[in-house]
Amino acid sequence: QVQLVESGGGLVQAGGSLRLSCVASGRIFRIDDMGWYRHAPGKERELVAIITTRGTTYSGAVEGRFRINRDVAKNTVYLDMNSLEPEDTAVYYCRADKIYYDRNSYTSSWGQGTQVTVTQ
């Protein structure tokens, strides 16, 4: 019912920057939580950053380098990634949780992922 579409991934050198975007579409009244996870080969999917109704949380690995923000009216979340490191290489997934399609009912959704590759 709800689709998340990411964009902005690519190949960059260490120290470079990328901006990821994620747009949610479908039957949406409001979205409480939107954020980003990443999945590197051989590792579990991990939280990168998330905006909830209570505030913003960053992984310790990215805090100070990445910044998350939302355009609530456009159902869009961004991840500005700076000072990228090879360790940041992963598939980055958009996550929306508590997507209300009316006042009382909600669902959650994952995007398909976008590849970020950081070279030395």
Side-chain angles (χ1 to χ4, degrees):
Q1 295 294 327
V2 177
Q3 184 179 16
L4 305 179
V5 179
E6 304 106 327
S7 62
L11 178 67
V12 298
Q13 293 183 352
S17 300
L18 284 174
R19 190 187 202 194
L20 305 183
S21 300
C22 172
V23 181
S25 61
R27 187 177 180 181
I28 301 171
F29 175 67
R30 77 168 191 267
I31 303 174
D32 279 358
D33 309 333
M34 293 193 77
W36 296 90
Y37 289 71
R38 66 186 182 187
H39 191 187
K43 298 182 179 180
E44 295 183 344
R45 183 176 296 189
E46 64 179 1
L47 175 69
V48 177
I50 189 167
I51 300 176
T52 74
T53 57
R54 293 184 175 273
T56 303
T57 299
Y58 292 93
S59 164
V62 308
E63 188 159 8
R65 299 187 296 119
F66 292 9
R67 185 172 183 178
I68 187 171
N69 64 94
R70 283 183 67 181
D71 186 330
V72 176
K74 295 182 178 180
N75 291 320
T76 300
V77 65
Y78 305 94
L79 185 67
D80 294 316
M81 304 184 294
N82 301 301
S83 300
L84 283 161
E85 304 168 353
E87 293 75 17
D88 296 316
T89 296
V91 178
Y92 284 71
Y93 295 91
C94 182
R95 171 69 170 175
D97 198 10
K98 295 188 177 179
I99 308 165
Y100 287 82
Y101 54 87
D102 60 28
R103 293 178 60 87
N104 298 299
S105 302
Y106 61 85
T107 186
S108 61
S109 185
W110 290 98
Q112 81 286 354
T114 185
Q115 177 71 47
V116 173
T117 302
V118 185
T119 64
Q120 297 178 339

